Amino acid sequence: QKEVEQNSGPLSVPEGAIASLNCTYSDRGSQSFFWYRQYSGKSPELIMFIYSNGDKEDGRFTAQLNKASQYVSLLIRDSQPSDSATYLCAVTPLGNQGGKLIFGQGTELSVKP
Amino acid sequence: GAVVSQHPSRVICKSGTSVKIECRSLDFQATTMFWYRQFPKQSLMLMATSNEGSKATYEQGVEKDKFLINHASLTLSTLTVTSAHPEDSSFYICSAFAQHLQETQYFGPGTRLLVL
């Protein structure tokens, strides 16, 4: 079992729809959760982080965390073609103080005009 | 804030030569820097973790004598690909970590290496 799992996609949604990206993790002691966006040919950029159970909203993005079920998700409202990218879920393992992250393989999102 | 630069952005070299890639945190001091490699259509692969003033910790399967890492200061780490071969052609990305910055990694723009 991979430590952090994501559906590789591609996930295709029409412009204006809600895109839902999911991630599950195996380490129950994980404390911090991050979503990165990576455009083709570019490096990842941090778009959201969440530490506590529940929802966290930032503009069109909402991160959801459920530690009991060990999943974290990212919702993108009013999806735009510019949101087309690969979204990487990353998790900090328990006890890790050195910044190491465990990355999922990423979900490719395609927003169709 | 949390800006990380890499230089060069792109390099083409002949097989057998060495290539040095620099990673700098521009507006913060990074306690740790990470080096990743990414092949087309594949996920990030962590190569090594680098702390200022100490030896890098390499991931399993990564040759430490081939990928030399030097972390001279809290704002600079370098990766040298020694005796590069075509199979080393890849996208190399560094990231920097500082505890006070959301406890996560901030990535440089990456260096695309092509070995002929």
Side-chain angles (χ1 to χ4, degrees), chain A residues 60-74:
Chain A
R60 294 186 297 111
F61 299 99
T62 298
Q64 299 175 317
L65 175 61
N66 184 323
K67 289 187 178 181
S69 300
Q70 295 176 240
Y71 86 78
V72 57
S73 62
L74 179 70

Side-chain angles (χ1 to χ4, degrees), chain A residues 32 34 36 38 41-44 46 49 51 88 92 97-101 103-105, chain B residues 32 34 36 38 43-44 46 59 91 93 97 99 102-109 112:
Chain A
S32 307
F34 307 90
Y36 288 82
Q38 186 176 22
K42 303 294 185 181
S43 66
L46 179 68
F49 59 90
Y51 304 143
L88 301 168
T92 300
Q97 299 299 315
K100 189 171 182 177
L101 294 173
F103 283 90
Q105 284 196 288
Chain B
T32 307
F34 301 85
Y36 294 84
Q38 188 175 38
S43 60
L44 291 172
L46 178 64
E59 295 298 304
F91 190 39
I93 313 172
F97 168 81
Q99 193 80 26
Q102 310 306 341
E103 299 185 10
T104 192
Q105 297 176 27
Y106 293 87
F107 286 86
R112 198 162 299 281

Side-chain angles (χ1 to χ4, degrees), chain B residues 24 51 57 64 105:
Chain B
R24 294 180 184 272
N51 292 291
T57 300
K64 62 180 181 180
Q105 297 176 27

Side-chain angles (χ1 to χ4, degrees), chain A residues 25-37:
Chain A
Y25 58 94
S26 60
D27 185 349
R28 187 170 287 278
S30 298
Q31 298 291 309
S32 307
F33 307 85
F34 307 90
W35 283 98
Y36 288 82
R37 176 176 61 199

